[in-house]
Amino acid sequence: MKIFDLTAHEVRDKLRNRELSSVELTEESYKRIDAVESKVDSFITFTKKEAFLQAKAFDERMKKGELLGDLAGIPMALKDNMCTDGILTTCASKILGNFTPPYDATVTQKLKNAGAVIVGKTNMDEFAMGSSTENSAYKTTKNPWDTDRVPGGSSGGSAASVASGEVFYSLGSDTGGSIRQPAAFTGLVGLKPTYGRVSRYGLVAFASSLDQIGPLGKDVEDCALVMNTISGHDRKDSTSIDRPVPDFALGMKNGVKGMRIGIPKEFFGEGIDEEVKTMVLEAARLYESMGAVCEEISLPSAKHALSVYYILATSECSSNLARFDGARYGYRAKNYEGFKDMFIKTRSQGFGEEVKRRIMLGTYSLSSGYYDAYYNRGLKVRTLIKQEFEKAFETYDFILTPTTPTTAFKIGEKSDDPLEMYMSDICTVPVNIAGVPAISLPCGFKDGLPVGMQLIGKFFDEATLIRAAYSFEKASVICRQRASIMGGGVNEL
Amino acid sequence: MNYRTLVGLEIHAELLTESKMFCTCSTEFGGDVNTHCCPICIGLPGTLPVINKRAIEFAIMAGLSANCKIAKKCKMDRKNYFYPDLPKAYQISQYDMPICTDGYMEIETESGVKKIGIERIHMEEDTGKSLHTEDGSSLLNYNRCGVPLIEIVSRPDMASAAEATAFLEKLKAILEYIEVSDVKMEQGSLRCDVNVNVVADDGRKTEIAEIKNLNSFKAAAKAIEYETARHIEALEDGENTLKDTRRWDDVKGVTVSMRSKEYANDYRYFPEPDLVEMEISEEWIELIRKELPELPEAKKERFVKLYGIPVYDAGVIVSSKALAAFYEDAVSRAGDAKLASNFIMTEVLRRLKETDANITDMPFNSTDFANLLKFVIDGTISNNMAKKVFREMAETGKKPEKVIEEKGMKQITDESAIEEIVVRVISENPQSIEDYKNGKDRALGFLVGQVMKASKGKAAPQTVNRLIRDKLSNL
Ligand SMILES: [Zn+2]
């Protein structure tokens, strides 16, 4: 087995056994990038110099016999909406094309402290708006399983970088499914933590009340280890919650015996591919065989989640993105008369179509005369959706659904039809609206493409999701499958 | 036809917290351009606000001092608009849930005490400052950006410029007392907008005009007077005014309508998603209440009772916390409360007014002042001399004892020395003795005056008086 095929915890063991040095591992990572990056286009920026400094530091500490953490010395990638001190952070937008923050995001800081080797910043949909990574101002990332297809979005670059073996894990951000949907499309495990579990400080905001940073990895254990590192209260983020962080890998192997699983019929309705449906329901049978109880439930308000999402998320983004006006940093239009003209021209030229579309939607929803009909009503439905989840979790340990209605679609297939594109998030969006955690993991393949299932959990109960996902992963044979670009693929099953 | 003026005020006060509303940058006024800034207050991507608890406490203090209800739950909202001095393109403010509501303040008017309602006090962050240069470019200073502010919104309960001025002075005194703001209008730490309209006896009324950014109480008063006249004129012509935002042109003494584009703004308020709702507990409010100092009203009552000074004098002295402290300290050292208050009401206030200064700007302190009073009390100098000494102290900052010594102002208290002069004066003025014997009291005063003159004003008046009476009755 090739090194790049290993999981993060497997290379951790090799590092600890001195079978490998971090510098060698980092070299492997860049070799892999040399080999496949031109095919997948995962990255916007590479940070080779910093990565090797970190790798050397790891090796020196190893020589001294220091006991180092699970992620130390391992190459990884950050989505390009997480701030990195002294390193370009573009959000895949022209408007931030030259922006170098003088500070680290809290997750960046935590990873650095943990000794992680940051290989680069990954491509994404501009300002995390999109479901295919086609909305980047720089490049379109391709799905490592089939480079004619999208890797999903908006963390498509982060997903592709792991699925193609360029790095061992990555961080994405998830506002309406942007970690889980690309995880499903690229056969990875992706976790969106409870809102408030991971600090948003330094994450360039799309929709502040929905955004959450989380891991993308080759298996559940990797995600658990990353969660151990990035979770926790941060005084710099008032919405981060002061609650103890358990060791997510600790109870992972305890099985699902006696767990109650709710299967909401609304997530298996129209628009969901029949084979996807079947595979997720097969997964439910597998859980039953392991001693869990599955029951059909109903979450009737969930069908409004997508509408609520597009009101709340666009409203917040219209405000969050207003600061990009060319006055202080980032792109500025060349010819203008007066500051208003500068604002207008800068924003017209600097933002892509999807971002502009959402800013306009949000501005409209918040404007006087429409606020009550849209934004305020959106907040009310949000409360309903939250309550329905809370009610369900009085009975069930987690909820099982498909992650996406279909497998990865073709590049260009939906880019002319925003509504069609928005539908690909229909199963993931309710989770962000409610603020609960959810994990996506592969549960099968359709025509050589991975199919993802989603486990949704109680507030701050990522541990149960990780445990349930781990049990499934061990019981099925899916997790060892690798993308065709890895020299694997389903055909070789 | 009679007309009634309705005046409402919106006052912005910068809070005296050490750090800004949402970051740890200094709030100090001045400083090199863009040196009191960090990624948070200039709104760089990814940064998040963290609320300054002290700013909330200050807002609650202001609310308690203005008899407001304090909200149990507190949330911040975003007020969205584009302007170069607003780096996030929204201001974090409070919209529908202000921290303090429904208060009042009492002011003195010609017809007695009047309650002025306070609709709300809410918190927000200040903006930066734009500087437009002559060559047409604009420079931006973000030092002020994110400094905590409270906005105090009164009900339209004031009926004249005089009442508005009284309200502003009272408010300024209270904010100064509780030390939540340094209330310096010239540094922009206190700013005021005025709303004016006029109602006729027959019920017709004008639309409200809002005059923005008045930078002195005088300007506010003039603007109110100007607007009142303009509105009455409109009603008399059978017309109305436009609902309008205006600015005061101090040079021309008129208000000018601002172009509608400049204020026709839809602020698209919505709850600030980066900050969580805050609970304000009864216990916290009580702790803050205990932190509050004695307020002007209570202090005034105490001064009248304790020191036996007139209500009017007490009112004037407590209008400034520093002056009240100066007064109390001087009284505790010198002992004569009335003498101290008389001296402050006349000499001290005259001096402050002449130099447009505060008591803390004077080159002497309350100990020097108390010593001056002591010299009057023990007869070292006369009241008249004390005024001269005071002027010298105020101009040069010299200690009173030094002034007295330098100018040789010390009273002659030696009886034999005074007696010598008295004897000489009586012998030189036989006509006065004749008059005195004929019952003309004026003669006594004349002789006293002559003795004082002969002693160059240094003879102790009481001794002079007694000795002349003695001599005359023995004649
Ligand atoms: Zn700051």
Side-chain angles (χ1 to χ4, degrees), chain A residues 103 200 202 208 319-320 323 328 368, chain B residues 43 45-46 78 80 87 90 266:
Chain A
Y103 45 90
R200 289 186 297 116
S208 310
S319 173
N320 282 332
R323 71 189 69 192
R328 290 158 299 273
S368 70
Chain B
R78 287 189 188 175
N80 295 281
Y90 57 80
D266 178 355

Side-chain angles (χ1 to χ4, degrees), chain B residues 22 192-193 285 302 320 322 363 429:
Chain B
F22 302 113
C192 149
D193 302 341
I285 296 173
R302 184 166 63 81
S320 147
N429 293 282

Side-chain angles (χ1 to χ4, degrees), chain B residues 20 23-25 36-42:
Chain B
K20 291 186 179 180
C23 64
T24 54
C25 290
H36 298 171
C37 300
C38 72
I40 298 170
C41 55
I42 59 169

Side-chain angles (χ1 to χ4, degrees), chain B residues 335-404:
Chain B
D336 191 330
K338 278 188 187 163
L339 177 67
S341 111
N342 286 340
F343 215 97
I344 286 178
M345 293 300 291
T346 53
E347 300 308 309
V348 178
L349 288 181
R350 185 183 305 136
R351 181 75 201 175
L352 294 181
K353 207 172 171 193
E354 276 168 15
T355 53
D356 194 24
N358 292 312
I359 191 70
T360 44
D361 303 329
M362 288 284 117
F364 55 84
N365 59 28
S366 56
T367 311
D368 300 331
F369 181 69
N371 287 338
L372 173 65
L373 296 179
K374 275 191 205 159
F375 288 123
V376 177
I377 294 162
D378 69 12
T380 308
I381 54 170
S382 67
N383 232 322
N384 265 334
M385 281 176 167
K387 288 176 189 171
K388 283 179 200 150
V389 176
F390 175 76
R391 229 163 291 149
E392 185 80 16
M393 286 165 68
E395 271 157 26
T396 64
K398 282 180 185 161
K399 304 276 176 211
E401 53 272 26
K402 184 129 193 261
V403 179
I404 291 166

